[in-house]
Amino acid sequence: FFGWFSHHGAAMEKEEVEVEVESDTAAAEETDLNTLLLPEGKFPTDVSCFSVQYSKALLDGWVKQHSPACAAASVAGACNALRGVARTKDSALTQADVIEYFKLILEDKLYAHATKVERMLGKPAEPLLEAMRARLSAEGKALGSKWPKDQNKRKHIMMTLRALVLERAAAAGSNEDVFSAVSRFYAADKLPAEEEGGNNSGDDEAEEDDGAETVLDGPPPKWKSVLWEYFNIAGGLEKLQQDKPSTAFFGNWGIVAAVKRISEKSPDAVGFQPKLFMGKAGKGIVVQHKVSSKDTRDAVAQQWQALTAAVVSPNTVLIFHLKNHYALVFACREWEVNGERVRQILTARKGQRPSVWIDFNEARTTMIKWPGYKMLSVTRV
């Protein structure tokens, strides 16, 4: 069920931003619609016009986020809404259910990347991963742990790899193993050890496959990136396996992949199609509704119309990738004051509870600042 209110008739105060948390509170999910959707819980009487559209299916289907796993929780809520399943039903998807789909995605990705490393080195890749995990554990660290902001995770791991390889290769002597193979790459490489980590200081999303193959006459140009990505994917899987799983490894590609997996396994034969709905254009990135700092008022109005149409569509829901978070778009509202249009969307800055109204101008600014910040649509097919 999708609702729509309209009212004709002083400016309404902006919603206060909630304190950022990584999970939802224990408060009940249900709420009073008037309190949630209307300013001060009632229709404004001193604006020239006012309208609000909302998705009752999303309000019934969203699920609580129990850990830093916003990608999983938002996908669960989206699929519940499109299936017409309330979160109280046994068949409703939960954050934990979608975490399992994310695990499958990374297990497949890790296997594929291990195969790539083996092709490149001519030796099994797993001993490298086992040795890295053991060394980091001795330091009180892990591939999947959260690193301090002042530490360059990639640089530390790659420096650790160099030390491991030199130690193990020397111990192996004439016995050829994966460490000996990597040591030959280091011997032929001219990049100083201190430059191996690049500029990364935190968790990376998965990089694109560069097609590296076995090279007999020397190391391939991106061999260090191939090895880093192997460790990075393993770290992403570790994050999902923690007591409080995290989906920090995943970007928009992960949302798309998870929705496709769920669509393939849907128990009620309901299929889902994910797309990049709105955001900044980029090379090789197809976005249905492109936003730009150069957009005219008419262009912004058209983007808003597309958004509101999606909100009230019984076959589509929106997931907003805002700053360091994924959350559903539950509703939108609009009014006019002194000839100026005010447009807002109902979403969540942290957790999944519908809790904050964000100006559409702020949402556009967020999406314009970085191509990764986008609205994604999930459509029932």
Side-chain angles (χ1 to χ4, degrees), residues 29-116:
E29 292 91 341
E30 288 69 27
T31 187
D32 176 70
L33 281 182
N34 286 346
T35 301
L36 180 66
L37 300 175
L38 303 177
E40 300 181 358
K42 59 185 179 181
F43 282 109
T45 58
D46 48 2
V47 297
S48 58
C49 62
F50 172 80
S51 67
V52 57
Q53 296 85 29
Y54 67 97
S55 167
K56 181 63 162 56
L58 274 181
L59 294 179
D60 290 340
W62 75 270
V63 298
K64 285 186 177 181
Q65 180 182 327
H66 299 290
S67 66
C70 55
S74 60
V75 167
C79 293
N80 287 340
L82 293 173
R83 293 170 59 217
V85 177
R87 61 183 157 270
T88 54
K89 300 297 183 180
D90 292 340
S91 59
L93 287 173
T94 65
Q95 171 187 302
D97 293 327
V98 181
I99 287 290
E100 294 304 312
Y101 285 101
F102 277 122
K103 287 180 181 178
L104 291 174
I105 291 168
L106 283 198
E107 286 169 359
D108 288 349
K109 202 172 187 67
L110 185 62
Y111 177 81
H113 212 80
T115 301
K116 180 178 180 178

Coordinates of all heavy atoms in Angstrom, one line a residue, residues 29-116:
E29 N 9.5 -0.8 16.2 CA 9.5 -0.3 14.8 C 8.3 0.5 14.4 O 8.4 1.5 13.6 CB 9.6 -1.5 13.8 CG 10.9 -2.3 13.9 CD 10.9 -3.4 14.8 OE1 10.0 -3.4 15.7 OE2 11.7 -4.3 14.8
E30 N 7.2 0.2 15.0 CA 6.0 0.9 14.6 C 6.0 2.3 15.1 O 6.5 2.6 16.2 CB 4.7 0.2 15.1 CG 4.4 -1.1 14.4 CD 5.5 -2.2 14.7 OE1 6.1 -2.2 15.7 OE2 5.6 -3.1 13.8
T31 N 5.3 3.2 14.4 CA 5.2 4.6 14.8 C 4.0 5.2 14.2 O 3.3 4.7 13.3 CB 6.5 5.4 14.2 OG1 6.4 6.7 14.8 CG2 6.4 5.5 12.7
D32 N 3.6 6.3 14.8 CA 2.4 7.0 14.3 C 2.7 7.8 13.0 O 3.7 8.5 12.9 CB 2.0 8.1 15.4 CG 0.8 8.9 14.9 OD1 -0.3 8.3 14.9 OD2 1.0 10.1 14.7
L33 N 1.9 7.5 12.0 CA 2.1 8.1 10.7 C 2.1 9.6 10.7 O 2.9 10.2 10.0 CB 1.1 7.6 9.7 CG 1.3 6.1 9.1 CD1 0.3 5.8 8.1 CD2 2.7 6.1 8.5
N34 N 1.2 10.2 11.4 CA 1.1 11.7 11.4 C 2.4 12.3 12.0 O 2.9 13.2 11.5 CB -0.1 12.1 12.2 CG -1.4 11.9 11.4 OD1 -1.4 11.7 10.2 ND2 -2.5 12.0 12.1
T35 N 2.8 11.6 13.1 CA 4.1 12.1 13.7 C 5.3 12.0 12.8 O 6.1 12.8 12.8 CB 4.3 11.4 15.0 OG1 3.2 11.5 15.9 CG2 5.6 11.9 15.7
L36 N 5.3 10.9 12.1 CA 6.4 10.6 11.2 C 6.4 11.4 9.9 O 7.5 11.9 9.5 CB 6.4 9.1 10.8 CG 7.5 8.6 9.9 CD1 8.9 8.6 10.6 CD2 7.2 7.2 9.4
L37 N 5.3 11.6 9.3 CA 5.2 12.2 8.0 C 4.9 13.7 8.0 O 5.3 14.4 7.0 CB 4.2 11.5 7.2 CG 4.4 10.0 7.0 CD1 3.2 9.4 6.2 CD2 5.7 9.7 6.2
L38 N 4.2 14.2 9.0 CA 3.8 15.6 9.0 C 4.6 16.5 9.9 O 5.0 16.0 11.0 CB 2.3 15.7 9.4 CG 1.4 14.9 8.5 CD1 -0.1 15.0 9.1 CD2 1.4 15.3 7.1
P39 N 4.9 17.7 9.6 CA 5.6 18.6 10.4 C 4.8 18.8 11.7 O 3.6 19.2 11.7 CB 5.8 19.9 9.6 CG 4.6 19.8 8.6 CD 4.4 18.4 8.3
E40 N 5.5 18.6 12.9 CA 4.8 18.7 14.2 C 3.6 17.8 14.3 O 2.7 18.1 15.1 CB 4.5 20.2 14.5 CG 5.7 21.1 14.5 CD 5.4 22.5 14.8 OE1 4.2 22.8 14.9 OE2 6.4 23.3 14.9
G41 N 3.5 16.8 13.4 CA 2.4 15.8 13.5 C 1.1 16.3 13.0 O 0.1 15.6 13.2
K42 N 1.1 17.4 12.2 CA -0.2 17.9 11.7 C 0.1 18.6 10.4 O 1.2 19.0 10.1 CB -0.9 18.8 12.7 CG 0.0 20.0 13.1 CD -0.7 20.8 14.2 CE 0.1 22.0 14.6 NZ -0.5 22.8 15.6
F43 N -1.0 18.7 9.6 CA -0.9 19.5 8.3 C -0.6 20.9 8.6 O -1.2 21.5 9.5 CB -2.2 19.4 7.5 CG -2.4 18.0 6.8 CD1 -3.3 17.1 7.3 CD2 -1.6 17.7 5.7 CE1 -3.5 15.9 6.6 CE2 -1.7 16.5 5.1 CZ -2.7 15.6 5.5
P44 N 0.4 21.5 7.9 CA 0.6 22.9 8.0 C -0.5 23.7 7.4 O -1.1 23.4 6.4 CB 1.9 23.2 7.3 CG 1.9 22.1 6.2 CD 1.2 20.9 6.9
T45 N -0.9 24.8 8.1 CA -2.0 25.6 7.6 C -1.6 26.9 7.0 O -2.5 27.7 6.5 CB -3.0 25.9 8.7 OG1 -2.4 26.5 9.8 CG2 -3.6 24.5 9.2
D46 N -0.3 27.2 7.1 CA 0.1 28.5 6.6 C 1.2 28.4 5.5 O 2.1 29.3 5.4 CB 0.7 29.4 7.8 CG 1.7 28.6 8.6 OD1 2.0 27.4 8.3 OD2 2.2 29.1 9.6
V47 N 1.0 27.4 4.7 CA 1.9 27.3 3.5 C 0.9 27.3 2.3 O -0.2 26.9 2.4 CB 2.8 26.0 3.5 CG1 3.7 26.1 4.6 CG2 1.9 24.8 3.6
S48 N 1.4 27.7 1.1 CA 0.6 27.8 0.0 C 0.1 26.4 -0.5 O -1.0 26.3 -1.1 CB 1.2 28.6 -1.1 OG 2.5 28.0 -1.5
C49 N 1.0 25.4 -0.4 CA 0.6 24.1 -0.7 C 1.5 23.1 0.0 O 2.7 23.4 0.4 CB 0.7 23.9 -2.3 SG 2.3 24.1 -3.0
F50 N 1.1 21.9 0.1 CA 1.8 20.8 0.8 C 1.4 19.5 0.3 O 0.2 19.2 0.1 CB 1.6 20.9 2.3 CG 2.2 19.8 3.1 CD1 3.6 19.8 3.4 CD2 1.5 18.7 3.5 CE1 4.2 18.7 4.1 CE2 2.0 17.7 4.2 CZ 3.4 17.7 4.5
S51 N 2.4 18.6 0.1 CA 2.1 17.2 -0.3 C 3.1 16.3 0.3 O 4.3 16.7 0.6 CB 2.0 17.1 -1.8 OG 3.3 17.2 -2.3
V52 N 2.7 15.0 0.6 CA 3.6 14.0 1.1 C 3.2 12.7 0.5 O 2.0 12.4 0.3 CB 3.6 13.9 2.6 CG1 2.2 13.7 3.2 CG2 4.6 12.9 3.1
Q53 N 4.2 12.0 0.0 CA 4.0 10.6 -0.5 C 4.9 9.6 0.3 O 6.0 10.0 0.6 CB 4.4 10.5 -2.0 CG 3.6 11.4 -2.9 CD 4.0 12.8 -3.0 OE1 5.2 13.1 -2.9 NE2 3.1 13.7 -3.3
Y54 N 4.3 8.5 0.5 CA 5.1 7.5 1.3 C 4.8 6.1 0.9 O 3.8 5.8 0.3 CB 4.8 7.7 2.8 CG 3.4 7.3 3.2 CD1 3.1 6.0 3.8 CD2 2.4 8.2 3.1 CE1 1.9 5.6 4.1 CE2 1.1 7.8 3.5 CZ 0.8 6.5 4.0 OH -0.5 6.2 4.3
S55 N 5.7 5.2 1.2 CA 5.6 3.8 0.9 C 5.2 3.0 2.2 O 6.0 2.8 3.1 CB 6.8 3.2 0.3 OG 6.8 1.8 0.3
K56 N 4.0 2.6 2.3 CA 3.5 1.8 3.5 C 4.3 0.5 3.5 O 4.5 -0.1 4.6 CB 2.0 1.6 3.4 CG 1.4 0.9 4.6 CD 1.6 1.6 5.9 CE 0.7 1.1 7.0 NZ 0.8 -0.4 7.2
A57 N 4.5 -0.1 2.3 CA 5.2 -1.3 2.2 C 6.6 -1.3 2.9 O 7.0 -2.2 3.5 CB 5.3 -1.8 0.8
L58 N 7.3 -0.1 2.6 CA 8.6 0.0 3.2 C 8.5 0.2 4.7 O 9.4 -0.3 5.5 CB 9.4 1.2 2.6 CG 10.2 0.9 1.3 CD1 10.8 2.2 0.8 CD2 11.2 -0.2 1.5
L59 N 7.5 1.0 5.2 CA 7.3 1.2 6.6 C 7.1 -0.1 7.3 O 7.4 -0.3 8.5 CB 6.2 2.2 6.8 CG 6.5 3.7 6.3 CD1 5.3 4.6 6.6 CD2 7.7 4.3 7.0
D60 N 6.4 -1.0 6.6 CA 6.1 -2.3 7.2 C 7.3 -3.3 7.1 O 7.4 -4.2 7.9 CB 4.9 -2.9 6.6 CG 3.6 -2.2 7.0 OD1 3.6 -1.5 8.0 OD2 2.6 -2.3 6.2
G61 N 8.1 -3.1 6.0 CA 9.1 -4.1 5.7 C 10.5 -3.8 6.2 O 11.3 -4.8 6.2
W62 N 10.8 -2.6 6.5 CA 12.2 -2.3 6.9 C 12.6 -3.1 8.2 O 11.7 -3.4 9.0 CB 12.4 -0.8 7.2 CG 11.9 -0.3 8.4 CD1 10.6 0.3 8.6 CD2 12.5 -0.2 9.7 NE1 10.4 0.7 9.9 CE2 11.6 0.4 10.6 CE3 13.8 -0.5 10.2 CZ2 11.9 0.7 11.9 CZ3 14.1 -0.3 11.5 CH2 13.1 0.3 12.4
V63 N 13.8 -3.5 8.3 CA 14.3 -4.3 9.5 C 15.4 -3.5 10.2 O 16.1 -2.7 9.6 CB 14.8 -5.7 9.0 CG1 13.6 -6.4 8.4 CG2 15.9 -5.6 8.1
K64 N 15.5 -3.9 11.4 CA 16.6 -3.2 12.3 C 18.0 -3.6 11.8 O 18.2 -4.7 11.4 CB 16.4 -3.5 13.7 CG 15.2 -2.8 14.4 CD 15.1 -3.1 15.9 CE 14.0 -2.3 16.5 NZ 13.9 -2.5 18.0
Q65 N 18.9 -2.6 12.0 CA 20.3 -2.9 11.7 C 20.9 -3.2 13.1 O 20.9 -2.3 14.0 CB 20.9 -1.6 11.0 CG 22.3 -1.7 10.7 CD 22.9 -0.5 10.1 OE1 22.2 0.2 9.4 NE2 24.1 -0.1 10.4
H66 N 21.5 -4.3 13.2 CA 22.1 -4.7 14.5 C 23.6 -4.6 14.6 O 24.1 -4.9 15.7 CB 21.7 -6.2 14.8 CG 20.2 -6.4 14.8 ND1 19.4 -6.0 15.8 CD2 19.4 -7.0 13.9 CE1 18.2 -6.3 15.6 NE2 18.1 -7.0 14.5
S67 N 24.2 -4.1 13.6 CA 25.7 -4.0 13.5 C 26.0 -3.1 12.4 O 25.1 -2.6 11.7 CB 26.4 -5.3 13.4 OG 26.1 -5.9 12.1
P68 N 27.3 -2.8 12.1 CA 27.7 -1.9 11.0 C 27.4 -2.6 9.7 O 28.3 -2.9 8.9 CB 29.1 -1.6 11.2 CG 29.4 -2.0 12.6 CD 28.5 -3.1 13.0
A69 N 26.2 -3.0 9.4 CA 25.9 -3.8 8.2 C 24.7 -3.1 7.5 O 23.7 -3.8 7.2 CB 25.5 -5.2 8.6
C70 N 24.8 -1.8 7.2 CA 23.7 -1.1 6.6 C 23.4 -1.6 5.2 O 22.2 -1.6 4.8 CB 24.1 0.4 6.5 SG 25.6 0.8 5.7
A71 N 24.3 -2.1 4.5 CA 24.1 -2.6 3.1 C 23.1 -3.8 3.2 O 22.2 -3.9 2.4 CB 25.4 -3.0 2.4
A72 N 23.4 -4.7 4.2 CA 22.5 -5.9 4.3 C 21.2 -5.6 4.8 O 20.1 -6.1 4.3 CB 23.2 -6.9 5.2
A73 N 21.1 -4.7 5.8 CA 19.8 -4.4 6.4 C 18.9 -3.6 5.4 O 17.7 -3.8 5.3 CB 20.0 -3.5 7.7
S74 N 19.5 -2.7 4.6 CA 18.7 -1.9 3.7 C 18.2 -2.8 2.5 O 17.0 -2.7 2.1 CB 19.5 -0.8 3.1 OG 20.7 -1.2 2.4
V75 N 19.0 -3.8 2.1 CA 18.6 -4.7 1.0 C 17.4 -5.6 1.6 O 16.5 -5.9 0.9 CB 19.8 -5.6 0.6 CG1 19.3 -6.7 -0.3 CG2 20.7 -4.7 -0.3
A76 N 17.5 -6.0 2.8 CA 16.5 -6.9 3.4 C 15.2 -6.1 3.4 O 14.1 -6.7 3.0 CB 16.9 -7.3 4.8
G77 N 15.2 -4.9 3.8 CA 14.0 -4.1 3.9 C 13.4 -3.8 2.5 O 12.2 -3.9 2.3
A78 N 14.2 -3.6 1.5 CA 13.8 -3.3 0.2 C 13.1 -4.6 -0.4 O 12.0 -4.5 -1.0 CB 15.0 -2.9 -0.7
C79 N 13.7 -5.7 -0.2 CA 13.1 -7.0 -0.8 C 11.8 -7.3 0.0 O 10.9 -7.8 -0.7 CB 14.1 -8.1 -0.7 SG 15.6 -7.9 -1.8
N80 N 11.8 -7.1 1.3 CA 10.5 -7.4 2.0 C 9.4 -6.5 1.5 O 8.3 -7.0 1.3 CB 10.7 -7.1 3.5 CG 11.6 -8.1 4.2 OD1 11.7 -9.2 3.7 ND2 12.1 -7.7 5.4
A81 N 9.7 -5.2 1.2 CA 8.6 -4.3 0.7 C 8.1 -4.8 -0.6 O 6.9 -4.8 -0.9 CB 9.2 -2.9 0.7
L82 N 9.0 -5.2 -1.5 CA 8.6 -5.6 -2.9 C 7.9 -6.9 -2.9 O 7.1 -7.2 -3.8 CB 9.8 -5.6 -3.8 CG 10.5 -4.2 -4.1 CD1 11.8 -4.4 -4.8 CD2 9.5 -3.3 -4.8
R83 N 8.2 -7.7 -1.9 CA 7.5 -9.0 -1.8 C 6.2 -8.9 -1.1 O 5.4 -9.8 -1.0 CB 8.4 -10.0 -1.0 CG 9.6 -10.4 -1.8 CD 10.5 -11.2 -0.9 NE 9.9 -12.4 -0.4 CZ 10.1 -12.9 0.9 NH1 10.8 -12.3 1.7 NH2 9.4 -14.0 1.3
G84 N 5.9 -7.7 -0.5 CA 4.7 -7.5 0.3 C 4.7 -8.2 1.6 O 3.7 -8.6 2.1
V85 N 5.9 -8.4 2.2 CA 6.1 -9.2 3.4 C 6.5 -8.2 4.5 O 7.5 -7.6 4.5 CB 7.1 -10.3 3.2 CG1 7.3 -11.0 4.6 CG2 6.7 -11.2 2.2
A86 N 5.7 -8.2 5.6 CA 6.0 -7.4 6.7 C 7.1 -8.0 7.5 O 7.3 -9.2 7.5 CB 4.8 -7.2 7.6
R87 N 7.9 -7.2 8.3 CA 9.0 -7.7 9.0 C 8.6 -8.7 10.1 O 9.4 -9.5 10.6 CB 9.8 -6.6 9.6 CG 9.1 -5.7 10.6 CD 9.9 -4.6 11.1 NE 8.9 -3.5 11.6 CZ 8.5 -2.5 10.8 NH1 8.9 -2.5 9.5 NH2 7.6 -1.6 11.2
T88 N 7.3 -8.7 10.5 CA 6.8 -9.5 11.6 C 6.6 -11.0 11.1 O 6.4 -11.9 11.9 CB 5.5 -9.0 12.2 OG1 4.6 -8.7 11.1 CG2 5.8 -7.6 12.9
K89 N 6.6 -11.2 9.8 CA 6.3 -12.5 9.2 C 7.5 -13.3 9.2 O 8.7 -12.9 9.1 CB 5.8 -12.3 7.8 CG 4.5 -11.5 7.6 CD 3.3 -12.1 8.3 CE 2.1 -11.3 8.1 NZ 0.9 -12.0 8.8
D90 N 7.3 -14.6 9.4 CA 8.4 -15.6 9.4 C 9.2 -15.6 8.1 O 10.4 -15.9 8.1 CB 7.9 -17.0 9.7 CG 7.4 -17.2 11.1 OD1 7.7 -16.3 12.0 OD2 6.6 -18.1 11.3
S91 N 8.6 -15.3 7.0 CA 9.2 -15.3 5.7 C 10.0 -14.0 5.4 O 10.6 -13.9 4.3 CB 8.2 -15.6 4.6 OG 7.2 -14.6 4.6
A92 N 9.9 -13.0 6.3 CA 10.6 -11.8 6.0 C 12.1 -12.0 6.1 O 12.7 -12.7 6.9 CB 10.2 -10.7 7.0
L93 N 12.9 -11.3 5.2 CA 14.3 -11.3 5.3 C 14.8 -10.4 6.4 O 14.2 -9.4 6.7 CB 14.9 -10.7 3.9 CG 14.8 -11.6 2.7 CD1 15.2 -10.9 1.5 CD2 15.6 -12.9 2.9
T94 N 15.9 -10.8 7.0 CA 16.5 -10.0 8.1 C 17.9 -9.6 7.6 O 18.5 -10.1 6.6 CB 16.6 -10.8 9.4 OG1 17.5 -11.9 9.2 CG2 15.3 -11.3 9.8
Q95 N 18.6 -8.8 8.4 CA 20.0 -8.4 8.2 C 20.8 -9.7 8.1 O 21.7 -9.8 7.2 CB 20.5 -7.5 9.3 CG 22.0 -7.3 9.2 CD 22.6 -6.5 10.4 OE1 22.1 -5.4 10.6 NE2 23.5 -7.0 11.1
A96 N 20.6 -10.6 9.0 CA 21.4 -11.8 9.1 C 21.2 -12.7 7.8 O 22.2 -13.3 7.3 CB 21.0 -12.7 10.3
D97 N 20.0 -12.7 7.3 CA 19.8 -13.5 6.0 C 20.6 -12.9 4.9 O 21.2 -13.6 4.1 CB 18.3 -13.4 5.7 CG 17.4 -14.1 6.7 OD1 17.9 -15.1 7.2 OD2 16.3 -13.7 6.9
V98 N 20.6 -11.6 4.7 CA 21.3 -11.0 3.6 C 22.8 -11.0 3.8 O 23.6 -11.1 2.9 CB 20.8 -9.5 3.4 CG1 21.6 -8.9 2.2 CG2 19.3 -9.5 3.2
I99 N 23.3 -11.0 5.1 CA 24.7 -11.2 5.4 C 25.2 -12.5 4.7 O 26.3 -12.6 4.2 CB 25.0 -11.2 6.9 CG1 24.9 -9.8 7.5 CG2 26.3 -11.8 7.2 CD1 26.0 -8.9 7.1
E100 N 24.4 -13.6 4.8 CA 24.7 -14.8 4.2 C 24.9 -14.7 2.7 O 25.8 -15.4 2.1 CB 23.7 -15.9 4.5 CG 23.6 -16.2 6.0 CD 25.0 -16.7 6.6 OE1 25.6 -17.5 6.0 OE2 25.3 -16.1 7.7
Y101 N 24.1 -13.9 2.0 CA 24.3 -13.7 0.6 C 25.6 -13.0 0.3 O 26.3 -13.3 -0.6 CB 23.1 -12.9 0.0 CG 21.8 -13.7 -0.1 CD1 20.8 -13.6 0.8 CD2 21.7 -14.6 -1.2 CE1 19.6 -14.4 0.7 CE2 20.5 -15.4 -1.3 CZ 19.5 -15.3 -0.4 OH 18.3 -16.0 -0.5
F102 N 25.9 -12.0 1.2 CA 27.1 -11.3 1.0 C 28.3 -12.2 1.2 O 29.3 -12.1 0.5 CB 27.2 -10.1 2.0 CG 26.5 -8.8 1.5 CD1 25.5 -8.3 2.3 CD2 26.8 -8.2 0.3 CE1 24.8 -7.1 1.8 CE2 26.2 -7.1 -0.1 CZ 25.2 -6.5 0.7
K103 N 28.2 -13.1 2.1 CA 29.3 -14.1 2.3 C 29.5 -14.9 1.1 O 30.7 -15.1 0.7 CB 29.0 -15.0 3.5 CG 29.1 -14.4 4.9 CD 28.7 -15.4 6.0 CE 28.8 -14.7 7.3 NZ 28.4 -15.7 8.4
L104 N 28.4 -15.4 0.5 CA 28.6 -16.2 -0.7 C 29.3 -15.4 -1.9 O 30.1 -15.9 -2.6 CB 27.2 -16.6 -1.2 CG 26.5 -17.7 -0.3 CD1 25.1 -17.9 -0.8 CD2 27.3 -19.0 -0.3
I105 N 28.9 -14.1 -2.0 CA 29.5 -13.2 -3.0 C 31.0 -13.2 -2.8 O 31.8 -13.3 -3.7 CB 28.9 -11.8 -2.9 CG1 27.4 -11.9 -3.4 CG2 29.7 -10.8 -3.8 CD1 26.6 -10.6 -3.1
L106 N 31.4 -12.9 -1.5 CA 32.9 -12.8 -1.3 C 33.6 -14.1 -1.3 O 34.8 -14.2 -1.7 CB 33.1 -12.1 0.1 CG 32.9 -10.6 0.0 CD1 33.6 -9.9 1.2 CD2 33.5 -9.9 -1.2
E107 N 32.9 -15.2 -0.9 CA 33.6 -16.5 -1.0 C 33.9 -16.8 -2.5 O 35.0 -17.3 -2.8 CB 32.7 -17.6 -0.4 CG 32.7 -17.6 1.1 CD 31.6 -18.5 1.7 OE1 30.8 -19.1 0.9 OE2 31.5 -18.5 2.9
D108 N 32.9 -16.5 -3.4 CA 33.2 -16.7 -4.8 C 34.3 -15.8 -5.3 O 35.1 -16.2 -6.1 CB 31.9 -16.5 -5.6 CG 30.9 -17.6 -5.4 OD1 31.2 -18.6 -4.8 OD2 29.7 -17.4 -5.8
K109 N 34.2 -14.6 -4.8 CA 35.2 -13.6 -5.3 C 36.6 -14.0 -4.8 O 37.6 -13.8 -5.5 CB 34.8 -12.2 -4.8 CG 35.4 -11.1 -5.5 CD 34.8 -9.7 -5.1 CE 35.3 -8.6 -5.9 NZ 34.8 -8.7 -7.3
L110 N 36.7 -14.5 -3.5 CA 38.0 -14.9 -3.0 C 38.6 -16.1 -3.7 O 39.8 -16.1 -4.0 CB 37.9 -15.2 -1.5 CG 39.2 -15.5 -0.8 CD1 40.1 -14.3 -0.8 CD2 38.9 -15.9 0.7
Y111 N 37.7 -17.0 -4.0 CA 38.2 -18.2 -4.8 C 38.7 -17.8 -6.2 O 39.7 -18.2 -6.6 CB 37.0 -19.2 -4.9 CG 37.4 -20.4 -5.8 CD1 38.1 -21.5 -5.2 CD2 37.0 -20.5 -7.1 CE1 38.4 -22.6 -6.0 CE2 37.3 -21.6 -7.9 CZ 38.0 -22.6 -7.4 OH 38.4 -23.7 -8.1
A112 N 37.9 -16.9 -6.8 CA 38.3 -16.5 -8.2 C 39.7 -15.7 -8.1 O 40.5 -15.9 -9.0 CB 37.3 -15.6 -8.8
H113 N 39.9 -14.9 -7.1 CA 41.1 -14.1 -7.0 C 42.3 -15.0 -6.6 O 43.4 -14.8 -7.0 CB 40.9 -13.0 -6.0 CG 41.7 -11.8 -6.4 ND1 41.3 -10.8 -7.3 CD2 42.9 -11.3 -6.0 CE1 42.2 -9.9 -7.5 NE2 43.2 -10.2 -6.7
A114 N 42.0 -16.0 -5.7 CA 43.1 -16.9 -5.4 C 43.5 -17.7 -6.6 O 44.8 -17.9 -6.8 CB 42.6 -17.9 -4.4
T115 N 42.6 -18.0 -7.5 CA 43.0 -18.7 -8.8 C 43.8 -17.7 -9.6 O 44.8 -18.2 -10.3 CB 41.7 -19.1 -9.5 OG1 40.9 -20.0 -8.7 CG2 42.0 -19.7 -10.9
K116 N 43.5 -16.5 -9.6 CA 44.2 -15.5 -10.4 C 45.7 -15.4 -9.8 O 46.6 -15.3 -10.6 CB 43.5 -14.1 -10.3 CG 44.2 -13.0 -11.0 CD 43.3 -11.7 -10.9 CE 43.9 -10.6 -11.6 NZ 43.1 -9.3 -11.5

